Amino acid sequence: MLALSRCKALTYSPLLIGLFVLSACISPGQPPAPPLPALAQAAPFTSADANFVQQLNEMDLTHIALANLAKTHSARNDIALLSPTIVKNLTENHDTLTKLATTHTLTLPAKPSAQNQKIIDRLQHLYGSAFDRSYSRYFMSSTTKMKLVLTTEITTSKNTDLIKIATDIMAKIKTYQSQIK
């Protein structure tokens, strides 16, 4: 009987040794994973980039307010129908611009400047064709000026995020101008 137990012990011993070795591989005392490398910081804005972001923010805020007025004040259906698209696109752009500016420790105003607020207030009292004439005139002149700023940013900036934003807004402005003429 003793010989039979010794035989069983010899056959089971490789199995026991294997289990013992495997249990050492999954022991709770393993060292922790190394920390992840730090994320690369975005390149800081140049003064020209910061100036561009502020100008674009001002344009967005003013045109969002004016497009909201156009929904109810315009006599032209094309302007009234285009205004929700302008509001949506420029609001999305403003949100993207705000997030980008925040990562670069730049705080953007949430309201149009006093000068642009006067324009908004003046157009708020106009309806029908008088609103359409004033709105179209202001929209065309302000976006034409902004196209120069956008072109300058596209050609001189090293910040790829700002170049993308400028390129996207440039295309949208061209579309809006062709529809508002």
Side-chain angles (χ1 to χ4, degrees):
M1 184 106 146
L2 189 58
L4 189 57
S5 318
R6 213 180 272 166
C7 183
K8 282 185 181 178
L10 288 176
T11 35
Y12 290 125
S13 64
L15 180 61
L16 290 174
I17 292 172
L19 287 175
F20 179 72
V21 168
L22 286 176
S23 69
C25 292
I26 56 171
S27 70
Q30 290 187 359
L36 295 174
L39 293 175
Q41 297 252 337
F45 280 164
T46 63
S47 60
D49 289 340
N51 186 36
F52 166 73
V53 168
Q54 291 169 342
Q55 286 179 327
L56 186 57
N57 180 62
E58 185 65 31
M59 185 204 73
D60 285 347
L61 293 173
T62 304
H63 283 282
I64 289 169
L66 291 175
N68 278 324
L69 286 177
K71 292 177 189 177
T72 57
H73 289 60
S74 180
R76 288 177 45 187
N77 278 342
D78 59 336
I79 291 176
L81 292 174
L82 180 62
S83 61
T85 304
I86 293 173
V87 170
K88 178 183 168 282
N89 291 341
L90 294 183
T91 301
E92 289 171 357
N93 185 62
H94 179 260
D95 294 345
T96 303
L97 204 59
T98 302
K99 287 177 190 173
L100 184 60
T102 303
T103 62
H104 292 281
T105 64
L106 181 67
T107 304
L108 298 175
K111 295 182 179 181
S113 67
Q115 179 183 5
N116 286 338
Q117 188 60 49
K118 286 180 185 177
I119 294 167
I120 295 166
D121 293 342
R122 185 174 53 82
L123 265 71
Q124 187 172 9
H125 298 293
L126 299 175
Y127 290 89
S129 61
F131 175 85
D132 293 338
R133 277 190 309 275
S134 294
Y135 177 74
S136 297
R137 193 175 304 130
Y138 175 78
F139 188 89
M140 296 306 270
S141 70
S142 68
T143 53
T144 301
K145 290 175 190 173
M146 196 61 199
K147 281 164 100 176
L148 295 172
V149 174
L150 292 167
T151 302
T152 302
E153 185 67 18
I154 291 168
T155 58
T156 62
S157 181
K158 304 260 187 274
N159 188 310
T160 56
D161 293 329
L162 289 180
I163 292 171
K164 182 182 180 331
I165 289 172
T167 306
D168 291 347
I169 287 298
M170 178 80 88
K172 289 175 184 171
I173 285 175
K174 285 179 183 176
T175 303
Y176 302 154
Q177 283 182 335
S178 69
Q179 292 178 5
I180 289 179
K181 282 186 179 178

